[in-house]
Each structure stands twice: as structure tokens, then as C-alpha cells.
Amino acid sequence: MLKTTAASKPPRWQRVKSSPLGRQREVFGAAGTFIFWLWLDRKLGRNSTEVRSRRARWLVQKLLDLGPTFIKIGQALSTRADLLPREYVLELGKLQDNVPPFGVEEAISLIESQFGKPIYSLYKEFYERPIAAASLGQVHKALLYTGEEVVVKVQRPVLEDLFRLDFLALGKLVRFCRHWFPWMIKYNLEAIYEEFFNILYQEIDYIQEGKNSERFRSNFQDNHRIIIPKVYWDYTTTKILTLEYMPGIKVDDPQALQDWGINPQEINTIGICCYLKQLLIDGFFQADPHPGNMAVHRQRKGLIFYDFGMMYEITALNKDEMLVTFFAVLRKDTDNVVSQLIKMGLIEPVSDMKPVRRLITFLLDKFTEKPIDFQAFSEIRGELYVMFEQQPFRLPAQMTYILKALTTLDGVARNLDPQYNLVAAAQPFVKSITVAQGPGNIIGTLARQTKDFIQYKLQQPSQTEVIFRRL
């Protein structure tokens, strides 16, 4: 028998049914307040790090108050260093998609209305307390009559209606900004807006998520270290998703991994090679690889992927360009990297490209094989000043989620291993490409050249070894 308890107080956006006008008033009010504070700070010359951090914290809290759409926007903006000051990027990076769970009565009511059956004709047991809750839904553990343990993902009530209101409100806000702030045109906010909602509407269709999961599983069917829970289609609708229960070790807990005899560096290699395959071979990748969406299987010592709502597909042309760029990065080929970034729209050619090339060379030399040291940027202070004046870097809408995935994954990898090395972690992937592409293929040729270069670099003695040899 199910026992119910009082749920936490739901957020305002879930309790209050907004009209289009009311929601637009909320959104424009928040935007207007934020713009006013920015204007006042500029007018009074308040441009310190402390002030920017305070404004950024206010923005994060306001996004949480406005609800799921704006939480997702904040998470996407956390990768946009081309748009926002560093203080905002840092605060938005802390934005967690955690809100109080909604009541179990509402969850059961939605499940029963979706299937037209009492809940206990579907599940032998249904656990009242959710094991996870976020802005889009929550997850309950359950037991099928076959004895199989499952998890049931239940969409939050009124979510679709709220997205529809936010789509209208944000559309008006984007058009308002384009009209009154012409300098924003270069950021192509309309394309980002369309791309964002296209992904968001897919994320709340649980049948689509189930299909994404099966496609992802098929892409990795020959890799026993990549594990995807099974979808139970008889217990799935657009708002309810039933999956195999598959617990694991948190991917951001290196001590727990070591306690189970699992090498965090090996998990890094599995994760990096998995994402390189998603991005550069399959062209179909999980756009939100935060620690809550992954875990480590205790017995198979591989990665479990849980959430396939936010998936992104890359065109064949972009995929090939990214693959060539990846090999150029590993070979530290500055000219080729710059050329490819221009092709992909990430760099806009300027009259003097020397500072751009020097910056790319610096990044390739310093950070492809070791953690980022921000103090090292003092070596190219002059080039950075030129960068801020010229603003040659761009982030096309289609690249937003690619960068979001890469930066999130990089954070997970460095948490597991502070000495994480992309070149070393990518070795198995590069080796697999050299075998798969064949001798006459340009990508295969690039991969073989890159593999030879990596092996050469990894065989080179460290600076410490060189010093000892000279003694």
C-alpha cells in the first residue's frame, strides 16, 4: 500500500497558472530589472569583479524563479564566454537543475491518465519518494509484475503549457532586443532562440527520448564498457518513461571509484573516446553530459548513460570539419586549426590574423597535454587585448550545444584526474579511426599521421627526465 507524505512547497511557476500576458510581464520585468542594474552600474562606473559577481548571482536566482525554460537557458549560457563576462560564466556554471519534487499524488494521477489504468495494474510496487527530481520531471523506482526493477520518469504537470508561454514571451524579448539594441545583431539571437526551443521540445517528448536511447545503444553495441538502460515501451508515453533500473557509482566521485578498484584515468579514457565517437563518427551526441546523467558500472567498470532527452545531431559536413580540426589540434597544426575554425564560423577573419594565430599556437602548446593554468595567459597579454578589441571569435547557434557538451565533459574529466591529458586519453579513439577508415581515405590518412605524432610525443622524455639525463 502506498503511503503519501506532504511534498515540498512547489515553485511559483508550477503553482500559478499564467496567461500569455502575465508570463510576458514576468519575463520582461526580470529582463528590464537586469538591464536597469547594468545601465546604472555603467553610469556610476561600478565595474568591479565584486559587482559583476553580485549581478550574476542575482541573475541565477531569477532564472531559478522563472522556471525550467530559464534554468536551461542559464545552463546553455554558461558556455558562452564570447557573450558574457567571466563572472557570469562562473556563476551560471554553478546553476543546478534542482527544484523540489511535486507530490506523489500528482505523479500517480498523470501516470493513470496516460495509460487509462490504475497504477497497480501497471506496476507491482511504486515507490513514493522520488530518487531524483529536476525542473522537467522526477524519477520514481518501481517493480514490474515480471519482477524486473525499473525507474519511472514522470514529467512535471503544466510543463508543456509553460514552454508554450515562454516560447512566445522570449520571442518578443528577442525581437525587442534586436530593435532597441542593434549591437546585439552580431550574436544572431534569433538563431540561438530557434535552436534552443527545438532541442527543448524534443526533451519533453519521452517517446523521442526512448528512441534516442535505442539509437545510442545501437551506436555502441560493440562496446561493452558503454551501458544504456533498456526502455520498457509498454510502460512509456510522451510524458512517462519506464527504464531498466541500473544504479552505479557517481562519476564525479574518484575516491568511491578507487574503493571499488576502478581507475579514474581509465574512466576518463572511456568517456573521452565515447564522446569523440559521438561527435566525430556518429554525429549524434548527448548534449548534457553532467555528472547526474552518467555513472560507473561496478562490475563492468564502464560508463552508464541515463538521460537521452537532450540529444543533438551534427550534419555530415560539420562532422567532417570537426574531425579534421580534432586531428589538427592533436598535431598542434595552428594554420589548419585556424583555417577549420574559420570554415565552421567560429572565427571571423580580421585584417590582422597574427594575434589569433599566436593565441591558437599558445593554447595548443600549453594546454592540450596538461591542465589549464590561467596565470600562463600573462605570456600573451598583448594578444588578449587585441582579441577583446577585434572580437574575431563567434559561436554559431549549431555549435552552442557542442561546446556545452565539451566544456561539461572537460570539467568531469579534470575532477576525476587533475592531470587529465586529452592527447593520451584520445589514443584509443585515434587508433580505432586508423583501422576503420582504410588506406585511401583522407580521414584515415590524417588519423595515421596524428597517431604517429602522438606516439612520438608520448615517447619524448619530460622536462624533469631531460634535466636528470644532463646531470
Side-chain angles (χ1 to χ4, degrees):
M1 185 72 180
L2 183 71
K3 296 180 180 179
T4 60
T5 59
S8 303
K9 184 179 180 182
R12 184 180 183 279
W13 52 263
Q14 190 172 304
R15 289 180 283 119
V16 179
K17 189 173 178 63
S18 296
S19 65
L21 186 60
R23 189 60 173 171
Q24 287 168 30
R25 192 180 296 120
E26 277 186 275
V27 172
F28 272 79
T33 302
F34 185 58
I35 290 169
F36 169 75
W37 283 117
L38 294 182
W39 172 82
L40 188 62
D41 290 341
R42 178 175 293 186
K43 195 79 172 172
L44 298 177
R46 299 187 302 207
N47 194 36
S48 67
T49 296
E50 183 185 348
V51 169
R52 289 197 299 270
S53 295
R54 189 161 66 243
R55 299 289 175 244
R57 288 193 294 271
W58 181 91
L59 177 62
V60 166
Q61 186 56 54
K62 185 55 65 175
L63 294 175
L64 286 168
D65 293 342
L66 286 171
T69 308
F70 296 87
I71 292 171
K72 294 293 182 183
I73 288 173
Q75 290 171 336
L77 285 174
S78 68
T79 66
R80 299 303 302 260
D82 62 322
L83 289 178
L84 300 173
R86 182 168 179 266
E87 293 80 5
Y88 286 85
V89 172
L90 290 174
E91 289 299 329
L92 288 167
K94 302 173 187 175
L95 185 61
Q96 297 296 310
D97 192 6
N98 293 326
V99 296
F102 54 93
V104 67
E105 299 91 345
E106 291 179 280
I108 291 174
S109 176
L110 182 60
I111 293 170
E112 292 181 339
S113 67
Q114 286 287 296
F115 292 101
K117 298 178 181 178
I119 191 163
Y120 287 110
S121 69
L122 296 164
Y123 307 105
K124 185 177 181 179
E125 292 181 29
F126 185 85
Y127 294 83
E128 163 195 350
R129 188 182 297 275
I131 58 175
S135 56
L136 301 188
Q138 63 192 38
V139 179
H140 292 261
K141 192 178 173 188
L143 184 69
L144 299 179
Y145 280 95
T146 58
E148 294 165 285
E149 289 185 301
V150 296
V151 292
V152 185
K153 187 174 177 179
V154 186
Q155 192 173 112
R156 281 189 178 270
V158 311
L159 198 60
E160 201 168 348
D161 292 338
L162 187 67
F163 279 177
R164 196 175 298 114
L165 293 176
D166 288 343
F167 181 77
L168 295 172
L170 281 169
K172 288 192 175 183
L173 184 60
V174 166
R175 290 189 291 274
F176 175 85
C177 290
R178 182 185 59 194
H179 181 76
W180 292 102
F181 305 105
W183 54 270
M184 285 189 171
I185 291 174
K186 66 180 178 182
Y187 296 117
N188 200 5
L189 295 180
E190 289 91 344
I192 294 172
Y193 161 77
E194 293 289 345
E195 190 83 11
F196 173 76
F197 273 99
N198 181 45
I199 296 284
L200 201 57
Y201 274 111
Q202 289 181 38
E203 197 172 358
I204 61 170
D205 181 350
Y206 288 174
I207 287 180
Q208 183 60 51
E209 180 174 347
K211 290 178 180 178
N212 291 341
S213 172
E214 293 200 334
R215 179 177 172 183
F216 193 93
R217 179 202 290 265
S218 175
N219 288 344
F220 288 93
Q221 60 185 343
D222 297 326
N223 188 338
H224 76 283
R225 306 291 289 275
I226 303 299
I227 304 135
I228 296 91
K230 171 186 172 183
V231 179
Y232 288 85
W233 286 109
D234 289 341
Y235 305 90
T236 294
T237 70
T238 55
K239 297 181 188 297
I240 308 295
L241 178 63
T242 301
L243 299 166
E244 175 185 5
Y245 176 60
M246 189 175 287
I249 306 168
K250 287 184 176 181
V251 78
D252 58 351
D253 190 346
Q255 186 57 54
L257 293 176
Q258 290 172 4
D259 291 344
W260 277 86
I262 299 171
N263 185 348
Q265 292 180 338
E266 188 177 350
I267 296 302
N268 263 351
T269 297
I270 294 169
I272 293 301
C273 291
C274 172
Y275 258 87
L276 289 173
K277 181 177 184 294
Q278 291 176 55
L279 286 165
L280 304 178
I281 304 300
D282 304 330
F284 180 71
F285 72 97
Q286 187 194 49
D288 193 19
H290 67 77
N293 286 344
M294 296 183 289
V296 178
H297 199 285
R298 291 180 175 86
Q299 285 74 40
R300 290 164 64 174
K301 298 184 180 180
L303 277 176
I304 308 169
F305 286 82
Y306 290 124
D307 193 319
F308 298 92
M310 188 175 281
M311 303 297 291
Y312 194 88
E313 196 149 6
I314 305 170
T315 65
L317 178 61
N318 282 340
K319 189 171 63 175
D320 288 346
E321 288 173 346
M322 287 172 59
L323 197 51
V324 172
T325 306
F326 168 71
F327 291 133
V329 166
L330 293 187
R331 293 197 315 275
K332 301 188 179 182
D333 183 346
T334 299
D335 288 340
N336 204 351
V337 170
V338 172
S339 173
Q340 289 302 128
L341 293 179
I342 290 173
K343 278 185 183 180
M344 291 191 290
L346 290 166
I347 293 180
E348 185 175 299
V350 291
S351 56
D352 182 7
M353 291 294 290
K354 289 180 183 176
V356 176
R357 292 181 190 280
R358 282 202 63 192
L359 176 61
I360 297 297
T361 300
F362 173 80
L363 294 172
L364 294 177
D365 284 345
K366 294 286 185 182
F367 304 131
T368 52
E369 299 172 29
K370 60 183 178 182
I372 290 177
D373 175 9
F374 285 102
Q375 291 182 349
F377 279 92
S378 62
E379 297 175 28
I380 54 163
R381 187 181 292 115
E383 283 75 14
L384 290 176
Y385 282 134
V386 174
M387 295 296 102
F388 284 119
E389 288 177 5
Q390 293 180 333
Q391 294 189 340
F393 293 99
R394 298 287 180 267
L395 191 57
Q398 67 270 20
M399 294 297 293
T400 301
Y401 288 98
I402 295 173
L403 184 60
K404 181 180 188 295
L406 291 175
T407 52
T408 305
L409 188 67
D410 183 75
V412 173
R414 294 194 189 282
N415 180 70
L416 278 179
D417 177 15
Q419 300 304 313
Y420 154 71
N421 181 335
L422 172 64
V423 173
Q427 262 202 305
F429 172 76
V430 174
K431 183 179 179 181
S432 70
I433 293 291
T434 62
V435 173
Q437 292 291 336
N441 186 288
I442 183 64
I443 300 300
T445 302
L446 283 170
R448 279 186 292 278
Q449 292 172 355
T450 304
K451 179 187 175 188
D452 292 342
F453 176 82
I454 290 174
Q455 288 177 338
Y456 166 76
K457 288 294 292 181
L458 291 176
Q459 289 166 2
Q460 296 302 297
S462 67
Q463 289 184 352
T464 304
E465 290 173 321
V466 171
I467 291 170
F468 275 110
R469 287 178 186 179
R470 289 175 179 172
L471 294 176

